[in-house]
Amino acid sequence: MRESRELSMAFEGADTKETATTCPYCGVGCGVLATPSADGLSAKVEGDPSHPSNFGKLCSKGAALGETLDLSERLLYPEVDGVRASWGDAMSSVARGFAETIKAHGPDSVALYVSGQILTEDYYVANKLMKGFIGASNIDTNSRLCMASSVVGHKRAFGTDTVPGCYEDLELADLIVMVGSNFAWCHPVLQQRVLAAKQARHTKIVVIDPRQTATTQAADLHLAIKPGADVALFNWLFWKLAQSKAFDASFVGEHTDGLSDALVTASSVSESDVEALTGLSASELDQFFRLVAAHERTVTVYSQGVNQSSSGSDKVNAIINTHLVTGRIGKPGMGPFSITGQPNAMGGREVGGLANQLAAHMDHKPDDLDRVARFWHAPRMTTGVGLKAIDMFDAVHDGRIKAIWIMATNPVVSMPQADKVREALETCPLVVVSDVTGQSDTAKLATVLLPATGWGEKSGTVTNSERRISRQRSFLKPPGEARHDWQAICDLARRMGYSGFDFESPAEIYREHAALSAFENDDSRDFDIGADADIDDDAYDAMAPFQWPKPADRARPGLGGRADHRFFADGQFYTPNRRAQFLAAPFKPAKVQPTEAFPLILNTGRVRDHWHTMTRTGKTPRLSLHFAEPFLEMHPADADHLALAHAELVDVASPQGSATLRLLVTDRAARGQVFAPMHWTARFSSNGRVDALVGSAHDPLSGQQESKFTPVSVTAHKPAWYGFGVFQNEPPAEILETLSYWSLARCAAGWRLECAGRGSASAAERGLLGRDIDVSLSLPGGHCRSASFDGQNLHAALAISAGQPVEIDRAWLSGALGAPFDDAARLTLLAGRAAEGMATGPVICSCHGIGRRVIIAAIADGAGSVEAVGAATCAGTNCGSCKPEIAGLLAGEMDPAVAEPIAAE
């Protein structure tokens, strides 16, 4: 719901002191210094120079955090069946619904679906309630979608879900192998640390990715592997290393088991078959092997491109095998390194936020269940694993789950088979949603909608990808009636008659969480922060970032091997015999292969400046300057074969669903493959929910979905007309519904709209402009330009082209909204081009708002390097994630994938 600005007085004047907190975006876990404005609707945000994860650096998203704090689209009061309610009435509805459902259908008929966006303390009480008191394990998290395969791989190899190394290893390595990650865009702060090491130490970089990306531009070797072939490649590398001088016979003999069986599996595929499976040449394979064999200090960084697969767990173990066979683990500058996608995916793993975990890195084994039940004084302890995310929503769909609480996530957009998830929630008797907005696709389906606190208001801890626990501190008061997630969960528990949920602060929850991690541990579990079991409130508030473990007894057995915050330096693992396990990981192709009807392989992922489903990044105009609409990358040869043109709209279809996207024809995509980002929602686009295309195929062990391999078809959308407009007021939903395509993004003074239609262009023009048209120009071929003004100031402008995309300077027109125009300037407006010297072109550097034309002008004036361009324009001098695009411009490239899809130049 939208409320008046007067409600901002709920902040009663924000305390404008500087607060050290943690960024809420990716798993890098950057430290942030935030100073709120007096009205609490914005903040000055800077990187924290003292935080060991980022040393003061922030990416474009982190740098824009202060622009996302206003109350537009904030959910401020509870709602029941679409009507405002008190918290008491809303929670009574939730408690009654859960209790009656459990009484009638048993504890497995209810579920919690939580998020890597919530804090560890929120996670802890949610897991405790479901597994210890409701008595079922049907709690899962959207972190399932990004790193569950790593959990399985770690546990099979190490006996526990342990990330062995730390970020420092990226700077100490002589070789970094990046697999399945556009590191430069998804983790730009770490990428800058890598590039600094490359500059200082001549670190070699290998990037394994089917696509050309901003990350591959920095690679010494780019292996454009066929989608899904990672196991074949790493099995081959494992087998080759075992026969080379890099083989560490001493480490393998003393500290591992299973080598023989794993080698039999790895050697069962010939090198020629590996070439065919991977699409890599013999010389590329040989170069890769020689680089790895020659560099003891090798780190293999992997992310969603490995995990999001029907064989993701095997991919993880195939990578780990290469490190075990060489003994390259637990020492400076080496090891397998899983980089998580969400700010607290690791914290969720620590407290058992996944359906197949318990708590404190324990499992559903009898001893663990008994231990946790005694610690919690749990009256109804779960006995088995619960439903993982895909199975959970299948159970909602078929009626086995009749009540679900969804917290801080948007599964109607982010889950595979997203249309089926929407259908499931439409028919579920009780859908509780806690969120900061009521405008998300999922929130619109809620029976009970609960206003949650957001970043800046929440207080607790998060854990990043290197096991570093940091404090996220509040510096704003919650607006309206927003409550913390842990408060809402504890309220439900108490209303259902459960004791043990009388927490009054996140510090109390953290103390219990720390105590459980140490309870009957004796080095039997890796996760132990028992030193904080008695931390007082002041020490909790002042907590400095630290890497676990942090046991009460630092001298206990086993800690000698990780005194430097790395695990396994002493060769001691957490399997029953303390030896690491090689896993035989046979290559298995993706479960669903292309067909004549669906011949192309869709890969999904992220763009540089947006995050997940845009509930936060969609609020700030500058993060929509780089890409303002959903798109599809396709190789020129495939576009020619399908008679498709750059910048036209296309319909993408799979057996599960469809999407309408802007086509980018670029050789960054390989032939037979297409790529689309997963961020766009029904809030920002007519049909941009890309995960509606992704099927149900998933890893049988991790439950993680096959997001990188979906067979699709692509056909021309063929609207009668295309349009682009800017508007001070958001275009009415009833007008947008008449269009065959639309995509909205915020700009500085309002909104920008890409649109297309099969109906009357003139009717759309009248509806979108929303008032009398003050100036208009019709051109031959059905092209027209029109605008309306509020006095002298531009109120709205719309350009329409018949049958082809609009050519207009979008960046300039978006910036002109609300600006004064005299009669002469209005003619420039209708021409669609800025006056000489005013155009900046599509934005390349979002941090500083630097456009492509500005950078090209600096290059023409003699800036001959990325650093020189930065000195002349500031572009690339903050997070650095635009440096690959600047380098492309220096090389004379005009790749449409690094700019707006359509721009008049």
Side-chain angles (χ1 to χ4, degrees), residues 661-888:
L661 309 172
R662 184 75 66 178
L663 182 65
L664 298 187
V665 179
T666 169
D667 59 9
R668 290 181 182 274
R671 291 199 65 175
Q673 302 172 33
V674 291
F675 170 84
M678 48 70 69
H679 307 287
W680 273 266
T681 70
R683 173 69 186 93
F684 293 106
S685 66
S686 55
N687 192 25
R689 293 164 51 252
V690 167
D691 278 316
L693 298 161
V694 177
S696 62
H698 58 277
D699 185 298
L701 296 175
S702 70
Q704 193 156 0
Q705 77 288 359
E706 186 106 74
S707 288
K708 307 298 183 182
F709 199 110
T710 300
V712 298
S713 64
V714 181
T715 56
H717 183 68
K718 295 183 178 178
W721 56 269
Y722 286 83
F724 174 78
V726 295
F727 311 90
Q728 284 194 314
N729 299 326
E730 183 175 350
E734 59 269 22
I735 302 300
L736 296 179
E737 289 171 0
T738 68
L739 307 176
S740 69
Y741 170 83
W742 59 266
S743 179
L744 272 174
R746 284 181 172 85
C747 57
W751 297 84
R752 55 182 287 176
L753 172 72
E754 297 283 355
C755 58
R758 296 190 173 116
S760 167
S762 59
E765 179 187 46
R766 290 191 300 272
L768 288 169
L769 289 176
R771 60 169 61 189
D772 292 338
I773 297 172
D774 295 313
V775 294
S776 182
L777 175 66
S778 295
L779 301 170
H783 305 289
C784 64
R785 307 272 169 84
S786 52
S788 64
F789 294 83
D790 185 359
Q792 290 289 308
N793 297 333
L794 180 63
H795 179 264
L798 179 66
I800 289 177
S801 294
Q804 66 185 45
V806 172
E807 291 190 5
I808 197 167
D809 190 328
R810 284 161 165 74
W812 168 75
L813 186 57
S814 298
L817 190 63
F821 280 80
D822 59 24
D823 290 344
R826 292 183 183 191
L827 295 177
T828 301
L829 177 69
L830 293 178
R833 292 178 182 271
E836 186 68 28
M838 292 180 62
T840 64
V843 167
I844 298 297
C845 175
S846 297
C847 294
H848 295 293
I850 309 301
R852 186 167 67 185
R853 289 184 179 179
V854 175
I855 295 171
I856 291 173
I859 294 170
D861 287 343
S865 67
V866 171
E867 291 72 25
V869 168
T873 69
C874 288
T877 59
N878 182 41
C879 77
S881 59
C882 62
K883 286 181 178 179
E885 288 133 301
I886 297 171

Side-chain angles (χ1 to χ4, degrees), residues 342-358:
Q342 294 196 72
N344 203 29
M346 289 287 280
R349 287 150 72 170
E350 292 158 10
V351 301
L354 293 166
N356 55 324
Q357 295 178 317
L358 191 50

Side-chain angles (χ1 to χ4, degrees), residues 162-219:
T162 310
V163 174
C166 50
Y167 294 162
E168 183 187 23
D169 293 322
L170 298 172
E171 297 161 322
L172 297 175
D174 296 319
L175 173 67
I176 299 174
V177 181
M178 297 180 178
V179 195
S181 173
N182 188 1
F183 212 57
W185 277 16
C186 297
H187 301 98
V189 170
L190 287 185
Q191 174 74 351
Q192 295 312 305
R193 291 179 67 170
V194 167
L195 295 181
K198 180 178 176 66
Q199 180 73 24
R201 303 184 67 254
H202 307 292
T203 304
K204 298 292 184 183
I205 298 175
V206 176
V207 178
I208 303 171
D209 196 313
R211 302 169 59 223
Q212 295 180 49
T213 67
T215 305
T216 62
Q217 291 189 33

Side-chain angles (χ1 to χ4, degrees), residues 33-111:
L33 299 177
T35 306
S37 59
D39 62 6
L41 299 179
S42 64
K44 177 186 176 184
V45 170
E46 299 176 305
D48 184 349
S50 69
H51 198 288
S53 295
N54 60 315
F55 299 107
K57 292 289 187 180
L58 289 178
C59 73
S60 59
K61 297 183 291 294
L65 273 168
E67 302 162 22
T68 68
L69 301 175
D70 66 87
L71 299 182
S72 64
E73 302 192 1
R74 275 300 294 266
L75 179 66
L76 297 165
Y77 305 107
E79 295 180 10
V80 178
D81 294 326
V83 178
R84 179 174 169 175
S86 68
W87 264 97
D89 288 345
M91 290 308 300
S92 291
S93 295
V94 177
R96 183 170 56 252
F98 267 65
E100 291 177 353
T101 302
I102 292 168
K103 182 177 180 180
H105 305 285
D108 284 316
S109 63
V110 301

